[in-house]
C-alpha cells in the first residue's frame, strides 16, 4: 500500500519526515509521499530517512490555490527534480507569508474578543520552519481546557461560516495561487501536477482547464471523498487520460483521525 498524501511538522503535521518514514515502514507500507503545504523543506530529511529505513519515498508538495469562484483548490505536485525546487519554493513563498500573517491577525482578533491566547503560545507549537496553522490555535484552547477536540463545535464557531452567513471570528483569508498557473509552474519545474481531493471543495468543473494547463493526475482516494466522489474521479481520469493517486492526508494529532495508509493505493502510478 502506497500513501501519497502525508504532512509533516514542516507545515501542519505533528511528526518529522524521519518519524513518518519510520512509522510507514513499521506499518508495512510500500512507499510514502511527503506533501507539506506550500513547502519542500522536509524533502532532504525525507530522502535520508528513505535510505535509512529502505522505504521508497516520494517528494511532493500541496500548493494552496483558489478558483475564480472563490473555492479552495489544492494541487499536489510530485517528482520535482532538485533543479526545479527553488522555482516552486519561490512560487509558494508569498502564500506561506500570507497564511502566517492571516494566522497572526486571527490571534489578535481572538485576544481582542477576550480569548486567553498569545502569539507566543501558538509559535511554541510550530515546527522547524516556524509555519503557523489554525490547529495550533485550537491546541492552545485544548491545553487551556476551553474545549476537548480540534474539530468540534468550538472550531466551527471560530473558523467556519456561521448559521447567519457571517464568518467566524478567526476565519482565515489570504491570497492563494491561480490553479492553472500552479499547474504550469509544476510542469515547468519538471514535476507532475495532481488535483487533490476534488470532492472536498467541489473542484471537478475546473478539471478540463487544469488538464489543458498540464495536469497529470487526480487524487481519487481520500478520507474526505464519498463513493460518488471517487467514482467521478475514476470516470474523469479515464476521460482525460489522467493518472490516479490516493492517500491518507495524515497529520498526526493535528488531523481528523486518519492513519498512515488510509485511502492509499496498491500500485505506484509513477513507475509506469
Amino acid at each position: 500500500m502506497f500513501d501519497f498524501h502525508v504532512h509533516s511538522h514542516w507545515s501542519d503535521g505533528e511528526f518529522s519526515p524521519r518519524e513518518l518514514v519510520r512509522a510507514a515502514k513499521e506499518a508495512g507500507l510500500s512507499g510514502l509521499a511527503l506533501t507539506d503545504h506550500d513547502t519542500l523543506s522536509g524533502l532532504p530529511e525525507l530522502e535520508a530517512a528513505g535510505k535509512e529505513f529502505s522505504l521508497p519515498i516520494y517528494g511532493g508538495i500541496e500548493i494552496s490555490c483558489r478558483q475564480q469562484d472563490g473555492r479552495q483548490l489544492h494541487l499536489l505536485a510530485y517528482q520535482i527534480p532538485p533543479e526545479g525546487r527553488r522555482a516552486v519554493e519561490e512560487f509558494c513563498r508569498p502564500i506561506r507569508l500570507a497564511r502566517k500573517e492571516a494566522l497572526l491577525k486571527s490571534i489578535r482578533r481572538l485576544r481582542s474578543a477576550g480569548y486567553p491566547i498569545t502569539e507566543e503560545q501558538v509559535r511554541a507549537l510550530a515546527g522547524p520552519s516556524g509555519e503557523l496553522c489554525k490547529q495550533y490555535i485550537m491546541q492552545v484552547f485544548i491545553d487551556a481546557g476551553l474545549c476537548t477536540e480540534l474539530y468540534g463545535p468550538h472550531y466551527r464557531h471560530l473558523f467556519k461560516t456561521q448559521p447567519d452567513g457571517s464568518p467566524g471570528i478567526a476565519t482565515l483569508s489570504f491570497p492563494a495561487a491561480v490553479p492553472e498557473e500552479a499547474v504550469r509552474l509544476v510542469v515547468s519545474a519538471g514535476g507532475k501536477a495532481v488535483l487533490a481531493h476534488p470532492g472536498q471543495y467541489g473542484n471537478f468543473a475546473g478539471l478540463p482547464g487544469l488538464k489543458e494547463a498540464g495536469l497529470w493526475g487526480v487524487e481519487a482516494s481520500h478520507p474526505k471523498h464519498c463513493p460518488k466522489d471517487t467514482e467521478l474521479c475514476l470516470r474523469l481520469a479515464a476521460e482525460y487520460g489522467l493518472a490516479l493517486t490516493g492517500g491518507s492526508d495524515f497529520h498526526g494529532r493535528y488531523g481528523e483521525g486518519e492513519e498512515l495508509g488510509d485511502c492509499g493505493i496498491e500500485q505506484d502510478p509513477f513507475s509506469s
Side-chain angles (χ1 to χ4, degrees), residues 156-228:
R156 293 191 291 272
H157 174 68
L158 295 178
F159 293 103
K160 297 297 183 180
T161 302
Q162 303 305 295
D164 65 359
S166 63
I169 185 175
T171 296
L172 300 181
S173 179
F174 57 91
V178 175
E180 292 79 8
E181 290 181 2
V183 171
R184 287 191 286 268
L185 179 278
V186 171
V187 173
S188 68
K192 292 180 168 64
V194 173
L195 176 60
H197 46 67
Q200 180 175 356
Y201 298 129
N203 306 128
F204 290 109
L207 193 146
L210 296 175
K211 171 63 177 177
E212 185 176 349
L215 189 72
W216 179 81
V218 60
E219 185 178 46
S221 184
H222 185 272
K224 291 291 182 68
H225 274 185
C226 67
K228 287 186 178 180

Side-chain angles (χ1 to χ4, degrees), residues 133-152:
C133 63
K134 55 190 175 183
Q135 292 97 314
Y136 298 163
I137 292 176
M138 292 306 303
Q139 189 62 51
V140 170
F141 291 150
I142 290 173
D143 294 342
L146 295 182
C147 57
T148 59
E149 55 184 331
L150 281 178
Y151 297 103

Side-chain angles (χ1 to χ4, degrees), residues 14-263:
E14 177 182 3
F15 300 108
S16 70
R18 183 181 183 276
E19 290 171 325
L20 291 169
V21 173
R22 181 178 62 189
K25 182 71 173 183
E26 292 174 350
L29 296 187
S30 302
L32 181 80
L34 183 65
T35 54
D36 279 322
H37 294 286
D38 305 306
T39 183
L40 296 164
S41 297
L43 296 198
E45 183 180 346
L46 177 80
E47 291 162 352
K51 294 178 181 177
E52 178 184 355
F53 295 103
S54 300
L55 184 75
I57 53 86
Y58 305 80
I61 189 172
E62 186 170 19
I63 302 175
S64 303
C65 305
R66 194 169 300 279
Q67 297 180 163
Q68 284 189 340
D69 62 6
R71 295 188 186 192
Q72 293 186 62
L73 182 149
H74 288 180
L75 186 77
L76 294 162
Y78 303 94
Q79 293 194 318
I80 301 167
E83 61 271 19
R85 294 176 184 177
R86 181 174 180 179
V88 175
E89 283 283 359
E90 287 302 310
F91 181 87
C92 291
R93 185 172 180 270
I95 303 173
R96 295 197 305 272
L97 294 176
R99 180 190 294 108
K100 180 177 289 188
E101 181 57 33
L103 256 295
L104 294 174
K105 288 181 179 178
S106 290
I107 294 170
R108 290 193 285 270
R109 288 198 300 271
L110 289 166
R111 283 181 56 80
S112 296
Y115 284 87
I117 188 170
T118 67
E119 183 179 315
E120 290 71 25
Q121 287 175 303
V122 177
R123 288 186 183 276
L125 296 171
S129 66
E131 297 296 328
L132 304 179
C133 63
K134 55 190 175 183
Q135 292 97 314
Y136 298 163
I137 292 176
M138 292 306 303
Q139 189 62 51
V140 170
F141 291 150
I142 290 173
D143 294 342
L146 295 182
C147 57
T148 59
E149 55 184 331
L150 281 178
Y151 297 103
H154 205 63
Y155 173 88
R156 293 191 291 272
H157 174 68
L158 295 178
F159 293 103
K160 297 297 183 180
T161 302
Q162 303 305 295
D164 65 359
S166 63
I169 185 175
T171 296
L172 300 181
S173 179
F174 57 91
V178 175
E180 292 79 8
E181 290 181 2
V183 171
R184 287 191 286 268
L185 179 278
V186 171
V187 173
S188 68
K192 292 180 168 64
V194 173
L195 176 60
H197 46 67
Q200 180 175 356
Y201 298 129
N203 306 128
F204 290 109
L207 193 146
L210 296 175
K211 171 63 177 177
E212 185 176 349
L215 189 72
W216 179 81
V218 60
E219 185 178 46
S221 184
H222 185 272
K224 291 291 182 68
H225 274 185
C226 67
K228 287 186 178 180
D229 291 329
T230 300
E231 181 181 346
L232 183 53
C233 285
L234 296 177
R235 181 173 66 79
L236 291 172
E239 180 179 349
Y240 289 97
L242 298 170
L244 294 168
T245 72
S248 63
D249 213 344
F250 180 71
H251 289 75
R253 66 169 171 165
Y254 296 124
E256 298 183 57
E258 65 280 346
E259 298 291 343
L260 279 176
D262 287 354
C263 298

